[in-house]
Amino acid sequence: MNRPGDLLLSPWALVSVSVILGNDHVLKGAFGNTMTGKLSDVAGVFLFPLLLLSVLEVLRRKLAGRAAIAWSIAVTGIGFAAVKTVSPIGDAYEWVIGFFRWTAGGFRGELLPIVVFRDPSDLWVLPILFASYLVVTHNRTRAPQGAPEHEVISPVPHPT
């Protein structure tokens, strides 16, 4: 797994997506308690740096370096903390995600914000970012330096 964007195909990323979908669409409706809220937070905070790096890699058509890995972890941690503790940022986040849901739904219905429960105790999930870091670095250190996976990917095949 050393191609741009492949982090989203790692087993850990796929499990994280499954947890988010199952939790948000089944468990929260059935139970809707503190545990289901924390489960979404853990899975989302774990997955978001992998998503950021994958988008960056696909756009640049090469694997992300250490600075990009650190950036993705920092943006996730700071952003999550801000959404959970700073009301204007949390409000803006609710409307932005509501807008994305509305557009993904084909602009049907009314544009409404999502609901984010702001609870500073949610910040206890931030150490999961270390697990994200381990998944990224494990997947990025398997190919030897100089391997084709570390080079810029060209849409035109190179002569050998």
Side-chain angles (χ1 to χ4, degrees), residues 27-159:
L27 298 178
K28 281 186 179 179
F31 304 106
N33 58 24
T34 301
M35 185 59 92
T36 58
K38 301 291 189 226
L39 190 58
S40 286
D41 291 343
V42 169
V45 168
F46 172 81
L47 182 64
F48 198 70
L50 280 62
L51 176 64
L52 285 177
L53 283 170
S54 294
V55 168
L56 178 67
E57 289 175 351
V58 168
L59 291 174
R60 292 176 57 211
R61 298 197 297 175
K62 70 177 188 176
L63 295 179
R66 291 180 184 184
I69 294 168
W71 170 83
S72 71
I73 300 284
V75 165
T76 301
I78 292 167
F80 181 78
V83 165
K84 291 295 188 169
T85 60
V86 181
S87 291
I89 293 174
D91 293 344
Y93 175 81
E94 289 176 343
W95 279 101
V96 167
I97 300 301
F99 175 77
F100 286 146
R101 277 187 160 182
W102 182 62
T103 56
F107 305 101
R108 288 187 304 262
E110 195 175 342
L111 170 59
L112 296 171
I114 65 164
V115 176
V116 173
F117 294 100
R118 293 186 192 98
D119 178 4
S121 74
D122 289 340
L123 301 182
W124 76 267
V125 306
L126 289 176
I128 199 69
L129 289 170
F130 184 67
S132 301
Y133 172 80
L134 292 176
V135 167
V136 171
T137 56
H138 173 74
N139 281 307
R140 293 301 180 247
T141 56
R142 290 160 116 190
Q145 193 66 18
E149 290 86 3
H150 288 281
E151 298 173 4
V152 174
I153 297 174
S154 171
V156 179
H158 293 294

